[in-house]
Amino acid sequence: MKHSSLVLLLLILIHQKSFHTFVEASDGFIRTLGPHFVLNGSPYYANGFNAYWLMYMASDPSQKSKVSNAFREASSHGLTVARTWAFSDGGYSPLQYSPGSYNEQMFKGLDFVVAEARKYGIKLILSLVNNYENLGGKKQYVNWARNQGQYLTSDDDFFRNPVVKGYYKNHVYTVLNRYNTFTGIHYKDDPTIMAWELINEPRCTSDPSGRTIQAWIKEMAYHVKSIDRNHLLEVGLEGFYGQSTPQRKSLNPSFDIGTDFIANNLVHGIDFATVHCYPDQWVSSSNDQSQLSFLNNWLNTHIQDSQRMLRKPLLITEFGKSSKDPGFNTYQRDQLFNIVYNKIYSSAKRGGVAAGGLFWQLLTEGMSSFGDGYEIVLSQSPSTANIIAQQSHKLYRIRKFFARMRDVEKWNQARAARRAQWWGRNRGRNIGN
């Protein structure tokens, strides 16, 4: 690997005063420094996965071993970040069965997830609510408010109604202040958690101008940061462009959902950007080659805009290829993974903003009922598992290189300090006579 671009990035970081603060910060929290993630003083890049089901399985004593198995298998392939749900609202086996009322068994399941992630050296991104009605989502919040006499005409009132927003804020407060029954650490103080996600794939089709979601993000980002300054925060966006960059809207698939990749991610308190990649869903009428062309353009544009316009790190927090697609074969999926991973690595080795990718979704053996076509069982998908492990190793090499360079810089600084002290003590003496 050629190191010249990495050396250049490190020199830039070293000469920013804030970098010295992070060099000394060894508390295990992932932070941002301009367009980069930083962990214990070194730029941080990571390969990861989605596993929305972790809390649900962990809450069942007969199934919680699957959580441990998933983390163990992920760790053995170099995966170091997992994105999962910190919500289940109403319905079957809820975490929150009514506003402000919680199922302790389910919460202990989430406690176990955090504890096991810590054990296997995996950081967590915890999403706080769903845009969709799976596991409740914004629809359940709106229905709770209707049951209290609120006149609401749309599920999008989740983003507007003060009562509904109050329910959501209370959930945020409860999760962030949760005392983990396994680790004895409050969630807001636990470096195992990398980041909070406001909502999985927010959409507000009733207001395509984007003003509704923009106002909601500002309000909720302020709320999260008022409780927890330790952790990073992201919105949960898919990456669709909006009114702030009309010249980019032609890149979107043919729907308008009221989000704005640039404006939403520029909100104060939003620490990094996210993008999802599902060409087989978004341009499903196109052939495989056209879908891959869309993917290339989608990633190139978002990496470029994160670098130049947002100046924040970018995580590709969902991507995949469904085995239910007509004519599917493993080579097609591996080809998509390779494109995504190569874009990330190409950016990372130049000191760019793309910091990692999280495929959708990881399952372990004995979970066929959770399969949605996108699932990866590492023990049953050798070619894809090999691509994943290779990417993990490549990003690990970049991290280790930065760590070595940081140690060299610290040694040089210490030597310079000792030399200055020596000259200070001996100034004015006739040395050598």
Side-chain angles (χ1 to χ4, degrees), residues 280-300:
D280 62 344
Q281 291 184 29
W282 296 347
V283 287
S284 56
S285 60
S286 302
N287 60 33
D288 286 341
Q289 206 53 47
S290 295
Q291 290 181 13
L292 294 180
S293 177
F294 168 87
L295 176 64
N296 267 295
N297 196 28
W298 185 253
L299 291 173
N300 287 339

Side-chain angles (χ1 to χ4, degrees), residues 395-411:
L395 295 181
Y396 173 77
R397 285 172 61 195
I398 293 177
R399 289 176 58 191
K400 292 298 288 183
F401 174 80
F402 276 123
R404 288 196 299 271
M405 292 299 294
R406 182 200 64 176
D407 290 342
V408 169
E409 173 61 19
K410 290 176 70 176
W411 183 84

Side-chain angles (χ1 to χ4, degrees), residues 156-177:
D156 287 349
D157 287 329
F158 172 87
F159 300 109
R160 292 185 281 254
N161 181 265
V163 172
V164 177
K165 289 192 290 184
Y167 292 160
Y168 174 78
K169 287 180 178 180
N170 182 72
H171 177 63
V172 169
Y173 181 88
T174 301
V175 173
L176 272 57
N177 283 289

Side-chain angles (χ1 to χ4, degrees), residues 94-163:
L95 171 63
Q96 184 179 199
Y97 56 84
S98 63
S101 298
Y102 289 85
N103 178 346
E104 182 62 16
Q105 182 179 348
M106 191 66 76
F107 235 144
K108 286 182 177 178
L110 188 55
D111 292 346
F112 180 77
V113 169
V114 176
E116 284 295 279
R118 182 186 185 93
K119 175 180 174 182
Y120 287 98
I122 291 175
K123 300 288 187 179
L124 296 174
I125 298 175
L126 297 181
S127 188
L128 295 164
V129 72
N130 205 357
N131 180 75
Y132 312 108
E133 59 184 278
N134 301 40
L135 300 178
K138 67 183 185 184
K139 184 181 184 70
Q140 180 62 72
Y141 276 84
V142 169
N143 285 337
W144 279 333
R146 284 194 183 111
N147 293 339
Q148 295 300 313
Q150 295 291 304
Y151 178 71
L152 304 176
T153 59
S154 165
D155 291 347
D156 287 349
D157 287 329
F158 172 87
F159 300 109
R160 292 185 281 254
N161 181 265
V163 172

Side-chain angles (χ1 to χ4, degrees), residues 260-332:
D260 188 317
F261 177 73
I262 299 300
N264 297 161
N265 281 311
L266 283 174
V267 169
H268 181 70
I270 299 303
D271 297 298
F272 64 96
T274 65
V275 63
H276 295 181
C277 307
Y278 290 111
D280 62 344
Q281 291 184 29
W282 296 347
V283 287
S284 56
S285 60
S286 302
N287 60 33
D288 286 341
Q289 206 53 47
S290 295
Q291 290 181 13
L292 294 180
S293 177
F294 168 87
L295 176 64
N296 267 295
N297 196 28
W298 185 253
L299 291 173
N300 287 339
T301 304
H302 284 82
I303 291 171
Q304 176 183 311
D305 289 345
S306 297
Q307 185 83 43
R308 298 178 181 176
M309 301 175 70
L310 298 177
R311 298 182 178 86
K312 294 182 180 183
L314 175 69
L315 273 188
I316 301 166
T317 43
E318 287 190 30
F319 67 92
K321 170 79 173 170
S322 176
S323 61
K324 297 179 181 180
D325 292 342
F328 171 84
N329 59 61
T330 303
Y331 172 77
Q332 295 172 336

